[in-house]
Amino acid sequence: MMEKNIKIAIDGHSSCGKSTLAKQLAAHYGFLFIDTGAMYRAVALYAIENGIINDDDVIDEKKLKNEMDKINISFKNSNGKNRTLLNSEDVEDKIRQIRVSSKVSKIAAMPFVREKMVSLQRKISENSSVVMDGRDIGTVVFPNAEVKFFVTASQEIRAQRRYKELLEKGEIVDLEQIKQSISQRDFLDSTREISPLKKADDAIELDNSFMTREEQFDFAVKIIDKVLQK
Ligand code: DC
């Protein structure tokens, strides 16, 4: 049996199915699944609900910094589904809304926000094997992760997938708005000063534009199995 705690890092662009893959892999290997995007989304939601970021995306940095200690993020499992809690409130649905998606990149670019989230991510994974998805997992959070994937897909395909997903949840959405939001997030995530989204040198690139979920999963499992057998 495995003795070591294994870290599997899944980084990549917004809405390219990282979480789906991470969840599948975590279930397959019996590892903990950690959605780090959800953590940044929860901070963004807090900022929106407490008037810390306004409609023009201006952030009251001082207030946010002062209130970081009041922001407690945790996860729970409910009927086999991962739910994000913000100060004990289940905010899993709220953090997926477009009002949060459109502001989260700005919040995630704040150094003091990243510092707190990265330290929480390492703490949660201290004694477990984990599959963690995000933007900086292979580069910053776990630079020594046993396996690293960098997942991507074309912007058009990502927007279509996200559109379908939100429609199925009953949200009224506009495809053009989603396209814009994805393109803006790609830009902000990869050009920010601290921990920008970039492929780690030793990450395996996975472009799933023309792959099914099953094909993507099989591809990843083959690679992970090889590493685990070493
Ligand atoms: O994966 P996601 O779309 O839920 O992520 C939401 C935002 O959080 C995204 O704009 C990038 C940011 N993020 C980050 O900066 N670092 C991470 N490890 C995860 C997400």
Side-chain angles (χ1 to χ4, degrees):
M1 268 318 277
M2 246 180 284
E3 287 154 20
K4 208 174 147 202
N5 285 329
I6 304 291
K7 311 289 184 224
I8 300 177
I10 306 194
D11 290 305
H13 290 106
S14 295
S15 302
C16 66
K18 294 185 302 293
S19 292
T20 304
L21 176 63
K23 274 182 217 157
Q24 285 174 316
L25 293 173
H28 180 77
Y29 291 104
F31 292 179
L32 198 62
F33 160 66
I34 301 167
D35 174 356
T36 63
M39 298 164 80
Y40 291 97
R41 284 172 181 270
V43 179
L45 178 68
Y46 181 93
I48 294 168
E49 290 188 337
N50 290 278
I52 295 175
I53 184 164
N54 70 15
D55 291 344
D56 296 323
D57 291 357
V58 178
I59 301 171
D60 185 340
E61 270 191 59
K62 200 166 158 219
K63 188 164 182 212
L64 183 57
K65 203 171 189 173
N66 283 338
E67 299 206 5
M68 281 314 286
D69 284 344
K70 291 192 195 162
I71 305 179
N72 291 304
I73 298 165
S74 56
F75 295 105
K76 74 166 182 190
N77 195 291
S78 172
N79 298 326
K81 294 224 160 72
N82 205 56
R83 313 284 302 177
T84 308
L85 306 183
L86 168 62
N87 295 332
S88 309
E89 182 196 343
D90 183 334
V91 292
E92 186 58 34
D93 297 324
K94 274 193 193 172
I95 59 169
R96 309 290 162 194
Q97 291 167 353
I98 201 134
R99 69 185 175 117
V100 175
S101 303
S102 64
K103 299 213 179 319
V104 60
S105 288
K106 290 256 164 70
I107 296 288
M110 303 273 114
F112 54 89
V113 173
R114 302 207 69 81
E115 208 176 292
K116 180 164 173 180
M117 294 306 115
V118 169
S119 122
L120 186 57
Q121 287 150 17
R122 290 186 181 137
K123 192 154 187 281
I124 302 175
S125 336
E126 230 163 36
N127 300 312
S128 319
S129 289
V130 298
V131 185
M132 189 176 278
D133 88 84
R135 304 292 188 290
D136 58 343
I137 312 306
T139 51
V140 175
V141 184
F142 293 126
N144 298 322
E146 279 74 11
V147 190
K148 299 179 187 178
F149 291 105
F150 188 84
V151 189
T152 189
S154 75
Q155 277 189 354
E156 179 67 35
I157 287 178
R158 285 187 275 144
Q160 295 280 359
R161 287 178 185 158
R162 188 91 190 106
Y163 178 68
K164 233 180 108 201
E165 203 177 285
L166 290 170
L167 273 189
E168 278 163 10
K169 278 191 190 160
E171 274 207 48
I172 300 163
V173 280
D174 173 42
L175 182 60
E176 273 318 304
Q177 198 189 355
I178 292 176
K179 275 187 198 168
Q180 266 178 27
S181 161
I182 285 183
S183 141
Q184 192 204 18
R185 272 200 290 158
D186 280 357
F187 176 76
L188 291 173
D189 293 344
S190 22
T191 56
R192 70 172 172 233
E193 238 170 83
I194 297 170
S195 313
L197 167 67
K198 72 171 189 314
K199 181 182 162 300
D201 290 339
D202 52 349
I204 296 151
E205 183 154 340
L206 201 174
D207 183 336
N208 65 21
S209 298
F210 302 105
M211 276 172 130
T212 62
R213 286 177 181 189
E214 292 70 30
E215 285 166 343
Q216 164 170 267
F217 174 72
D218 291 345
F219 174 91
V221 165
K222 272 193 194 117
I223 291 165
I224 297 168
D225 282 350
K226 248 193 220 164
V227 173
L228 296 187
Q229 277 157 18
K230 268 187 201 162

